[in-house]
Amino acid sequence: MAGARVQKNKSHKTRFSSKSTRQSHKTSRTDKGRISKPERNALQGARAARIQHNKAVLIELGVDCLVREQKRAAVLKEKRALTGSASPPRVIVLFGLSASVKLERLGKELSSLLSPDGAGTTSVAVASADYRSRTTVLEAPHGDLLACMEMAKVADLIAFVASANPLSEDDASSPYIDSFGSQCLSVFRAIGLPSTVVLIRDLPVEPKKKNEMKKICISSLESEFPEDAKFYTADTKDELHKFMWLFKEQRLTSPLWRNQRPYVMAQEVDLKTDDDNPGKCTLLLSGYLRAHTLSVNQLVHVSGAGDFQLCKIDVLKDPCPLRARKEQNLMDSDELHDDQVIRSLVPDLSKQEPLLVENIPDPLAGEQTWPTEAEMAEADELNKEKSHKKKRLPRGTSEYQAAWIVDDIIEEDSESGEDEDDGMVLDENNVSGNKGAYNSEFDEDEASLNLRDFDGETEADTMMTDGENLTKEQLEEEIRKIKDAHAEDEEFPDEVDTPLDVPARKRFGKYRGVKSFRTSSWDPKESLPPEYSRIFAFNNFRRTQKHVLAKAVEMEHGSEGESAFCGSYVRLHVKDVPVVVASKICFLAKTSPIIASGLLQHESKMSVLHFSIKKHDTYEPPIKSKESLIFHVGFRQFVARPIFSSDNINSDKHKMERFLHAGCFSIASIYAPISFPPLPLVALKSGQGLDMVPAVAAVGSLRSVDPDRIILKKIILTGYPQRVSKLKATVRYMFHNPEDVRWFKPIEVWTKCGRRGRVKESVGTHGVMKCIFNGVVQQHDTVCMSLYKRVYPKWPEQQFPNDA
């Protein structure tokens, strides 16, 4: 039958598909291996043929095999560099999540495991022949925030140690983490966590209870750590042996910012006085060079002390070689410490980076020069254009007097013809549009409603007599009562009171009106403070950063006569360090690691840095703008007085914030040495009282380096309607004399209920004014005027934390 389906049954499953396979299980073990496996040479040839075939297929598909081989070789080189004898010792930081964890006991157990003869101690590199690796174990002191932060910056692996015994604290976020552990954990996240493991201690001996307690502890802690963090039990020697063996094979990760600069964690700190330069000395820091090659011509930053030049780098023999026997014979033959120097690097004065911190301004740079012929011709044309404009002079004014009157004042007013001096002007976009824009808007309202002239309202004039006879104390009390009735400080935090004894045009003389905060122009080079003559700026910061990083890569392949290579044991001679600062560094070296990091080009120069910052959850006191804070930016530490501002994406102007608000990000702008992002930020506030323990105030990251970023401080002057007639209102208590009203007359006014308007004229002698709005004004409404001025951060009195 055409189109009929042919039935196909499933084949029967059998154990042996043929007679030969039926007998194969009876073959001897040696014969089976000889029959089933080809010769070794044949196997290698087949593998090589398969690799060549795969390469041919990839070439046909358009895949570059050379790039693939280069990536594979780079990964293999990186793995060998991390685990070979030329790599610096790996740093393990033991951090107790609670005060009940006994880190000293765990540190001794790890040291005895790495060095069975007992020669190794914590905080010093130990070479282990059993694990074929070199390791430095650091114990983070519980309660010392600064020491824990410095250890986390250099850690290749942070081993968080948790006790299986729950805490009794009721306010702890986790039953195994106390408040200090939780604070440090959040700071470590802000800095950038390297590879992370969690060691669980104090588990019961019985296997069943041990597994149950382990599961409970892991389920409680796993949300606090990264997803790739692994948990290990660490009570017995076998468990520690398993952890160390896996650690030796593990490929560790570190934050990006740490891999961009060379650094040395000092194992020995000493100072050498300089007789020729009293008050200064040479600081000697010995340790392994990590991350990158360090040139003797580079500048270095010593944590908490500042930026300095190097006078010499000594490359020493490795005090902790991986192959101890071969190197020990050479070490025994050297009796003097100076004989351990393999080579010394001396800076080249023509190539050495200068220690330039501040710009030296030229006092004659702002001198007036003689105008050119083109400038004089342009001025003549401008004067001719102004001479054709119609001018209306006050009565009794001669031509000689008219020549000295500003043209903006005596130009003919198309609407009111007033001759008052309007001193305050708006931004460039609104100077010319001050009359036309307002008049066109409000003339339509007056024409449609056919309102009578505002000057005819005698009721408002009679009301002025109520405030003219009040004393200063009575006037202040009247204003206070009205402000209490209109209490909306949280909604309008920028409101300020106009002083009674100082004219507003003097008190707010630096402020100006802005028609549109987003679109109005503001010249970033206008009226700069004296501190701006001491800083440096870039024409194109991104391009400069790219050029500097490319130069650092070229330096990586520099000559041996200028650079010390990564993994070598070096002694840095840091010159011109104040003796007081060096003494503090030597004292701090007992409890905290001292880090000397190489600086990229331009990173010693002062500029304006902007950070994206957020208030820390554990810090409750308010953080005010221009308050002194200690900034930890990567390896660097410095003191700064930031101002906070909002981050407006669609505007080149940003509003200043008086306080750093909790729960949201702001921009902190400071005067500080230039740094190239990405870099983390941890801001500390110095402690108050006897303990003087610093607290974590805020965390964030470096955003940009830009002195031209415009930050505007906003204030709102408020007045209150005294007499309302539809679109018109008589407003009092915003100003206290008619000269102030005329000065601020060009600026737009608005109400809290959404009306916008302008000042028409002054009434009386106590600062009362008449205003016209674009809608009906309510009697209970508040009239506001917004003023802006550009603000700058404060120059720090003390640049570094350990300065004398």
Side-chain angles (χ1 to χ4, degrees), residues 7 59 70 72 102 105 157 212 257 280 314 319 322 363 367 380 383 399 436 438 529 598 645 685 689 719 802:
Q7 181 177 355
I59 291 175
Q70 288 177 352
R72 180 180 297 176
K102 300 178 180 179
R105 180 179 174 185
L157 177 76
E212 292 178 357
W257 64 267
K280 298 294 181 70
D314 292 332
L322 191 58
E367 286 292 324
D380 292 339
N383 292 332
E399 294 182 358
Y438 279 122
S645 61
K685 176 64 179 175
N802 292 327

Side-chain angles (χ1 to χ4, degrees), residues 33 79 147 155 162 248 310 438 508 562 566 612 746 785:
K79 184 176 181 181
K248 180 252 178 186
L310 295 174
Y438 279 122
F508 307 115
E562 297 180 357
C566 178
S612 177
M785 178 182 291

